[in-house]
Amino acid sequence: MSDLNQALADKYKGNFLKEVIDNVEEGDRVQMCMQCGVCAGSCPMGPHWEHTPQKIFMMIRANKREAVLASDSMWMCTSCYNCIARCPRELPITHIMHGLATYAKRLNLVPKTQPTAKFAQLFWNNLSSKGRVNELKLGISLYFMNGFGEGVKTAMANQKLGLNMLKTKRMAINEAWGGHSVKDKSGFHAMLKKAAEIENDTIEANSK
Amino acid sequence: MADEIKTGAYICKGCDLGNRLNTDQLEMIATREGRVAVAKSHDFLCGAEGVKMIQDDIDSGEANRVVIAACSRRAKTDAFSFSEIPTSRVNLREGVIWVRPEDDESQETTQEMAEDYVRMGCAEIKFMATPKASEEQGTNRHVLVVGGGITGMTAAIEAARAGYQVSLVEKSDTLGGTTGQLYKRAPTRAPYADPEDTGVTELAKMLEDDDKVSIYLNSVLSSSDGAPGRFDVEISASNADGSTDAAQTISCGSIIQASGQIEYDANKLTEFSYSEAPDVITQLEMEALAKAADGGAIKRPSDGKEVQHVVFVQCAGQRSDKEGHLSYCSGHCCNTSIKQAMYLKDNAEKAAEGSSIDVQTTILFTDLRTPGAGGEDFYRSGQNKGVTFRKGTVSAVDKNGNVTFSDLILDEEDTIDADLVVLATGMIPNSGRNNEREDELSAQKTQLEAENKEVPQEVLDEIAIPVESILNLKYRQGSDLPQLVSGFNDSHFICFPYETRRTGIYAAGPTRRPMDTQQAQEDATGATMKAIQAIENAGKGMAAHPRAGDLSYPSFRKEGCTQCKRCMMECPFGAIGFDDKGFPEYNEARCRRCGTCMGACPVRVISFENYSIDSVGQQIKACDIPDEFDEKPRLLVLACENDAYPALDMAAQNRFEYSAFVRVIPVRCLGSVNTIWITDALNSGYDGVVLMGCKKGDDYQCHFVKGSEMAHTRMSKIADTLQTLNLEAERVAVHEVAITDIHRVPELINDMAKTIDEIGMSPFKF
Amino acid sequence: MSDIVATNETILVVGGGISGISAALEAAEAGKQVILVEKNAYIGGRVTQLHKYFPKLCHPTCGMEINQRRAKSNPNLTILTMAEVTDISGDKGDYSIKVKLKPRYVTNNCTACGQCTDAVEAEFDNEFNYGLNQRKGAYIAYNNAYPQTYVLDERIIGTDDATKAKDACPADAIDLEMQEESIDLKAGAVVWATGWRPFDANKIQPYGYDRFDNVITNVEFERMNDLMGPTGGKVTRPSDGAEPKKIAFIQCAGSRDRNYLKHCSRICCMASLKQTHYVRENITDGTSDIYYIDIRAIDRFEDFYQKVQEDDSVKFIKSKVAFITEGENNNPVLNGVDTEGYHRYANEYDLVVLAVGMEPSVNQGDFPVDIVLNEEGFIEMDEKNGGVFAAGCSSDALDVNRAVQSATASALRAVQVINQVGAVSPQNEGAK
C-alpha cells in the first residue's frame, strides 16, 4: 500500500463515504442513490461489470474501501451517458465512475492488467505532451500496447482502414514526425502542472 | 277522514311498456285487486305532464298515497318525488320487460310478472305511512373530544372554529399527547426538507384562549350514555394525590374519540437487547434525547458520550408474523427515523459549521415507506443530508451496540458498531376494551368449565389483562367502540372511513388506523365534520349514514313483546337498550334504520312507518300463485337494496334475461329479513326463495356492517323450518352478492328455477 | 339553469370524483347549500373506472351507489355535469364564480332507454375505457352512471346521426339546439377536488408503451378485468387477443423519477398487489412478477401485502426495469438488474403492466384562481388560498380512503367559512 493510500485509509477509517465525498469528483452525490438499479440495467457494458454502479454506491456506503478502489468496474464505463439519462435521482453516474477511477489511479490501486486504464494512460500521455491528440501516434501506441508481435498483427489487420483514413485525410502521415501542437505549449504544461499541484495538495491535505 | 288511505296507481306506458304489456289489464288489477282509489295510465309518466297528472290528484285529495308502476325505484327519483306522500315503486321496466324476451311465447308470463308486481305495489302501499320524526330529539351543539393529543386538540379547535362548544378531556395533566413528547415532527409543507415544530404549544395556547373550549385535564370519561344530540357524559378528575373529585356531568351532541396510540413494548424484542442495553432505545426515547439536547449534540444514555454513529432499525417487531409482533406497518416510522437522523446531521452541521459527515446515521430498512409528494421529498432531503440507507434485515443487536444484519443489496452479513441504536417499534391503538372479544372469551371459559374441561392458559391470560375503557358507554352492547382487526376501532374502511358502529361517536387518529401527526390532524378535521353533522341531523330526527335523512324509525308493539332481547343483541349499532321491565328502548338517534332488529324479532312486533313485516309480507301474499298443474313455479327473491337490487337493475339495462317466475322484493338490508317472510312464502306456495345480501366477514361490504352476517346466521337455521314443513333444503338459498355481479344475479335466479325444475313444485299450492 | 340559487353561504365543490362527492355530501348533510361542478357527463370520476378497491377487493360501484342515493335524496345539493369553473374572483366568504356549461344535447326527459345509441352509427374511442374500445356517438359512460341521462357526442352534431338519434328518442329528450352557456354563481367557500390523471406512459421512452402492443398501463388493465369493460372481463394481449400467462408489473413507471414525476404516487404498489389478485382469479396458471424499488404497502395495507407474498404465483424483483425490447411473438422482454445480490435479467413476458402514477389533473397555471402549489403541482395548505380548500388528489397522491378523509376535512373547512359568514349576515343574527 502506498503511503498516501495508507494515510487516507487511516484518516477516513470507518467512513469511506466521507473519503469519497472529499476526494472524488461529484462524490457527494453517491448518497442520493436509492438502489433502483436502472443504471446497472442500462449500461451497454453491463455484463462485464464486476460491480454495477448502483452496487458500487452501496459498497461505498457499506465502507468497502478496498473492494471499490481496487475494482476494475469503474474502468468499464464508456461514457455513453445512458445511466445518467435514466437515473431517477439524476446522479452524474458517469462522472462519479471516472472520479472513482481517477482516485484509484492516484492511490495506485488500479488492477495491473486493466486495459482501459492502460489506454487512458496512453491517451493522457499523448494528449498532455503537446496539448493536441496525435492520432497516428496514439493508434500506434495502442496497437503496440501489449507487445511488438501483437502490435504488428493488429496493424496488419487494420491496414485497409488506415490507408482509407490517410486517403480521406482523417490521419496525416507527417504526424509521425512531431505532429501538431497548441500554440503556447509551455503555458499549457504550466497549467497542467498547476492543476496537478492543486489536486495533489487537496488529497495530501485530506490525508493528514 | 284525513287518515283515510286513498291510493293512486299510475302506470307508465313509456319506454315500450305500453307495447310490451297490457296496461289496461294492469289498471284493472290495481283497481279490483289492489283496491286503489284511482288508477291511470300515461304515455310518459316521468315527463312533466305525467308528473302533473299525479300531482293534481294529490292536490285535489284524490290520492294521498301513490303507486308508480314504471321503472326501477332507483330511476327518475327527481320526477317521482312527492313531498310527504308515501310512494311505492313498481318496477315494470328493469324488473319485467327488460329481463324478458320480446316474443309471443313469453308474452303471457311477462304480463303475469307485471300483474304480480302491481299487486305487490298496491299491497305495500297500504303499510307505508309518512315517517315523522319522534319527539325524543336533542340538538346539543356541543362536541366532546376524548384525548388531548394532537388529534384531539385539532378536533377541538376545528369544532370551535365551526361555531360549536367543545369539551376536551385529557387523561394526563397536560395537553399534547405523544406529539407533545416529540422534539420536532416530519414536515407538513413544501419543500418538505427539514423537521418542523410540532405546533403543539401554539395549539394548546389557542385552545386555552378559546372561550368555546373547556379543557378537562387529569380526567377520564367515567360514564357516557344517551344518543347523538343528547349524550350525557360524566367526567371524573383525579388529583395529584390520587384522590378523585366528584364527577361532573355534561351534555353533548356528539363524541370524537381521539385516544391515540401507545408505543409497542420494546422489552419484547429480546434479540435487540432493549431491556439490557441503555443505548438501545425506541424512537420515542430518541425524541427525549433530542429534546434534552435542544439543537446541541445528542448524548447517549449510558455514559453521556456524544454519539458518532447511530443505527436505526426499522420495522422492529412490526410487519412480522412472529408471536407478539405487530402484523401491520405503523406508517410513520420511516419518516420518523429520517427525521431523527436529521436531528443528528443538522446538529452536527451546525456544530462543525458546515460538514456533518463525521456523524454517521444508518437506517436499516426493508421497504422505505415515504409515500406522496412530501414523503419522497423528505426521503431525498435525508439522503442529501448524508443519511445512509441500507436495505437489510436485522437479526440481532448486542449489548454493545453491534448491529448484525443481512445486507440485501450486497447479499452478505454485516455488522455495524453503533454508539446508539434506535428501534422503530411502531404503535398500538389505544382503542379501549374489545367487548366482543371479552364476550367471546368468557363464553369460551364458561362453556369449557361447564364441560369440566381445562381452560387453556392463553385464554385465562387474555382474560386477566385489564384494559381500560375509553368511553365507559352504558350501552347494552358494550363500553367501547367495536374493533375489527389488530385492535383498531372498526369503520367502513374505504368509502366511508368515519362510519363507526356507534352513531354520533367518531374515531380519529391512530386509534382507527396507524398514522403520522399530519394525517392525524387531517383525520381529526374530518371526524369533526361528521361530529357536527351528527348533531345537526339528530336534531331533525334524521338518520345518519348511509340512510342519511331518513325519518323513519323502529317502534314495537309492547303487548306482543316477549322481552327476549334479540333485537338488542343483533343491532349492529348498539342502538337498542331496554327499560326496567326488559322492554326495548330504541334510541332512534343512534339507529341507522337498517331493520336488523325487525329481522331478528321472533314475535314480529318491530316495524318502521314505511317498512315492516307487513309491508313486505303482504307483498309476498299478494302474488298470484298458480296451481301445481300450471307448471308455473314462483320464486321469491329478497334482494338487498344497496347492492343486489342495483345489480339486478344493471343486468336489466344490459337485457340479461331471467326466469319470469321470479318476484323480487328489495329489502333495506338482508339483516332486516325476518324468517316469517320465508315461511310465509313457502306456506303460501312459493317454490323457492333466494336471498341476496352483501359480503360479510372481516372484509365486509354490508353497509350496516353486521346485517348480512346476521341474516346468514338466521338462515342457517331455516333448514329446521323446512324440515318441519317437509320441504327440501334447496328451496332456500342465501347468496353474497356484489353490486357488479351483473352476470351472476340472473344466473342465481335461473339456478333456483332449474333446481325447482329438478326437485319439483311445492306441495303447498292452493 | 337560472333556477340555481347560490349565495355567499353556498359551498362550491369543483370536481365530482370520490373526493368532490364526499365533500359535497358531508357538507350538504350538515345542512349547507352545496353546488357540485363536474366536467364529465357523470359524477364519480376515476373510481368508476376501477374494477375493485384494495384492500377489501370490493367494488367502487358499491360505495358509489350509496353516494348516488345520498345525492338523489338530498335537497341541499345541486349537481352540474359537463360543467367547468372558468373563473373565481373575490375573497373568502364572498366569491364570484363563472361556470361554463357544455351542451349535452339531451334533456332531463331522458329515460335512459338506450334507443338513441342503437340509432346512431358513428363510433369514437371510448375514453371511459382509455380507448380500448369504441362507443357510439350517443351514449352513457357506464351502466351505473349518474345522472342516468345519455349524451350526444358533439362530433355527431350536424350529421345525420344527430337527426337519427333525435328521431329514435321516444321521450323527446334530444335537443339539438342546445348551446354552450356560461353562468355566474356566488359562493362563500370552495372545495377544490379536481383529482388526478394517470401519468402519460408514452413519455417513458425506454418502456416502449408507444411502440409495443403488449405493454399496457395499470388503468387499462383495470378496465380489462371489469366484466362490463371493453373485453368483457377477459385479460387479453392487445397484439393478438390471446390470454397472457406470464405478466409483469413495473412499479414506479413514471413516479419517484426526476425525469417524469418526482413524487411517489402512493397507490401504485397497492394497485399492482391488487391486480395480482385479478391475474389469479381470471387467468388459469397466470403468474405475476412485480419489479419494484420499495413496496409501499403502508399501515394496515401491510396485511394485504403479506397475503400476496404467500402466493406462489407472485414473485417480487427489487429492480427498476431499465428498458423493454420486443422478442418473438410480440413478447415484451424486460431488461435490467435485480439489485438484491446483482442478477442481470432479460425476462420475456406475455404482457407487461406499467404501474403508472398519478399527477394532478389540472396543470400548474391552469387554475382559475390564485393558489399555492408545491413543486409537484399539488395544492399546499396555505392561508393565501383564502376560502379555497383542496380535497383529495388535488392535494397529494392519495388512495381512496385518504381522499375521502381529506374531502371530509375540507368540507369542514368550508363549513367553518360559511358558519362565519352566516354568523355575521343580518338575517341570521340571533339565530345562535
Side-chain angles (χ1 to χ4, degrees), chain B residues 15 44 46 74 76-77 93 98 158 161-162 189-190 192 319-320 327-329 331 365 367-373 376-377 379-380 391 408-409 411 485 493-498 512-514 519 522-523 525-526 528-530 532-533 536-537 545-546 548 641-643 646 650 653-655 699-701 703 738-740 742-743, chain C residues 25-27 29-30 53-59 61-63 65-67 69-70 72-73 108-113 143-144 148 171 227-228 256 258 262-264 266 292 294-303 305-306 318 339-341 374 376 378 380-381 396 400-402 404-406 408-409 411-413 415-416 419-420:
Chain B
C15 290
F44 182 34
C46 64
R74 297 171 57 255
K76 291 287 166 193
T77 46
R93 190 175 72 161
W98 280 4
E158 294 294 344
R161 280 179 188 153
R189 53 194 63 230
Y192 304 97
R319 296 181 63 197
S320 148
S327 69
Y328 53 88
C329 150
F365 69 97
D367 291 288
L368 205 81
R369 291 180 172 169
T370 54
E376 197 62 14
D377 281 348
Y379 176 24
R380 231 183 282 108
K391 177 161 178 156
L408 295 171
I409 298 294
D411 197 18
V485 284
F493 192 60
I494 303 172
C495 300
F496 310 109
Y498 296 106
R512 97 176 169 79
R513 147 177 222 175
Q519 204 192 337
E522 192 80 347
D523 202 33
T525 313
T528 308
M529 177 72 238
K530 296 302 295 188
I532 69 168
Q533 187 190 71
E536 298 303 324
N537 284 321
H545 184 95
E641 67 177 8
N642 302 303
D643 282 46
M650 284 187 261
Q653 275 177 281
N654 291 286
R655 309 298 195 272
D699 284 335
Y700 64 82
Q701 286 160 36
H703 291 282
I739 194 165
T740 46
I742 301 171
H743 297 78
Chain C
L25 286 169
E26 296 306 346
E29 286 179 6
Y53 279 149
F54 57 76
K56 284 166 90 169
L57 298 174
C58 52
H59 300 273
T61 319
C62 166
E65 169 74 14
I66 296 288
N67 283 330
R69 209 168 61 201
R70 290 166 77 190
K72 285 177 200 172
S73 66
N108 288 342
N109 275 354
C110 174
T111 63
C113 70
N143 268 314
N144 212 29
Q148 279 275 304
L227 277 173
M228 301 309 292
R256 299 182 70 186
R258 300 295 299 232
K262 194 160 73 92
H263 61 269
C264 159
R266 190 190 306 260
Y292 72 98
D294 294 285
I295 294 289
R296 293 188 162 169
I298 205 162
D299 67 54
R300 278 170 68 178
F301 294 156
E302 173 67 19
D303 298 340
Y305 174 37
Q306 281 173 13
K318 160 118 174 102
T339 62
E340 284 194 0
N374 60 29
E376 290 84 357
F378 295 107
E380 284 279 301
M381 184 126 71
D396 198 0
V400 173
N401 179 289
R402 285 181 172 81
V404 174
Q405 197 184 340
S406 155
T408 313
L412 181 78
R413 296 181 183 116
V415 166
Q416 287 169 342
N419 282 356
Q420 281 156 22

Side-chain angles (χ1 to χ4, degrees), chain B residues 246-267:
Chain B
Q248 299 181 56
T249 305
I250 63 163
S251 302
C252 62
S254 57
I255 299 174
I256 295 172
Q257 180 180 326
S259 46
Q261 50 98 29
I262 43 176
E263 205 181 25
Y264 175 85
D265 179 8
N267 286 305

Side-chain angles (χ1 to χ4, degrees), chain A residues 7-8 16 56 62 77 81 87 89 95 101 109 127 141 159 162 181:
Chain A
L8 285 158
F16 183 43
I56 288 205
C77 176
Y81 289 86
C87 176
R89 285 287 172 82
H95 304 186
L109 292 173
L127 175 71
S141 48
Q159 197 179 17
S181 159

Side-chain angles (χ1 to χ4, degrees), chain A residues 36-37 40-41 52 54, chain C residues 318-319 335-339 342-345:
Chain A
C36 73
T52 63
Q54 136 272 328
Chain C
K318 160 118 174 102
S319 171
N335 298 275
V337 166
D338 176 356
T339 62
Y342 185 13
H343 307 285
R344 195 165 289 280
Y345 60 79

